[in-house]
């Protein structure tokens, strides 16, 4: 492996099955992930976690806090601040589906709290909680993870408002059709709120780091860090920014057209490609390894 691109050994067989019509694509589950950023003397750094090697999907790969939409993330009682749900529906490419837009944004905020202990919410529409540590906070976080508590209930019992304005939509990637576990994932950027700190609160990760996007990308290029295409692509897009505020402003100009890998059989080999991202193209000899 010349770089750190995550490439499961079962993919060639799955791709052949898709091409031959023996594999039926599953419907992707909606998901959200957040690139938490903070400024340092040398530039912005991003919070990443390493998925445990035992994980069935992308084990050992570096990623960001995130996960699937919970059915209750569209609860109409959720306390909300920032752009309207209609604005988010348009921004996320969901047309006028305000309910789904709320669910995606809510999932981004909830999963960030569940996996990194960072909460993008506050007592008012222009404030953010400063500390989320302590036994009572941990009990609520654990209840969220166990789905014993919905995010709307969590916010309500603590008198908090979800701050959708603290998120910037960055990209949208859909898991290839041949994968048995598929996600339609929106990537967001957000600044680490003042007074809060990240921690490894996820049972799916064995390590977390704050790292400059360019440094992480270089480590991937050297084969030192394993990543999925969406992760390294978003890191490369973050690298040019010299401040968190610049990245947040830049999010407004980002194209959210979904990126979906294509796979075809051409002249005795499988060609796997992600439109607009040529660096991830793989040529796989039939019965062989990727080239």
């Amino acid at each position: 492996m010349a770089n750190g691109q995550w490439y499961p050994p079962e993919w060639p067989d799955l791709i052949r099955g898709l091409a031959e019509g023996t594999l039926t694509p599953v419907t992707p589950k909606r998901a959200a992930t957040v690139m938490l950023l903070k400024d340092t003397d040398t530039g912005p750094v991003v919070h990443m976690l390493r998925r445990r090697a035992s994980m069935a999907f992308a084990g050992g790969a570096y990623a960001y806090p995130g996960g699937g939409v919970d059915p209750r993330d569209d609860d109409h009682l959720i306390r909300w601040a920032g752009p309207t749900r209609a604005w988010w529906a348009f921004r996320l490419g969901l047309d006028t589906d305000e309910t789904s837009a709320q669910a995606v944004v809510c999932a981004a905020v909830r999963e960030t709290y569940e996996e990194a202990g960072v909460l993008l919410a506050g007592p008012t529409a222009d404030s953010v909680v400063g500390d989320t540590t302590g036994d009572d906070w941990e009990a609520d976080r654990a209840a969220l993870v166990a789905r014993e508590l919905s995010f709307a209930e969590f916010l309500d019992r603590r008198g908090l408002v979800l701050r959708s304005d603290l998120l910037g939509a960055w990209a949208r990637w859909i898991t290839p059709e041949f994968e048995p576990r598929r996600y339609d994932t929106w990537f967001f950027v957000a600044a680490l709120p003042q007074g809060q700190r990240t921690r490894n609160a996820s049972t799916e990760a064995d390590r977390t780091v704050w790292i400059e996007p360019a440094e992480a990308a270089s480590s991937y290029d050297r084969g030192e860090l394993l990543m999925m295409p969406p992760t390294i692509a978003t890191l490369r897009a973050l690298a040019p920014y010299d401040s968190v505020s610049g990245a947040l402003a830049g999010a407004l100009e980002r194209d959210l057209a979904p990126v979906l890998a294509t796979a075809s059989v051409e002249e005795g080999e499988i060609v796997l490609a992600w439109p607009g991202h040529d660096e991830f193209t793989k040529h796989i000899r039939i019965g062989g390894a990727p080239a």
Side-chain angles (χ1 to χ4, degrees), residues 6-26:
W6 178 70
Y7 185 86
E10 64 272 18
W11 270 12
D13 288 339
L14 293 173
I15 293 170
R16 281 195 291 271
L18 181 66
E20 295 167 359
T22 59
L23 185 153
T24 301
V26 300

Side-chain angles (χ1 to χ4, degrees), residues 110 234 237 261 267 287:
R110 176 182 51 75
T234 50
E267 298 181 355

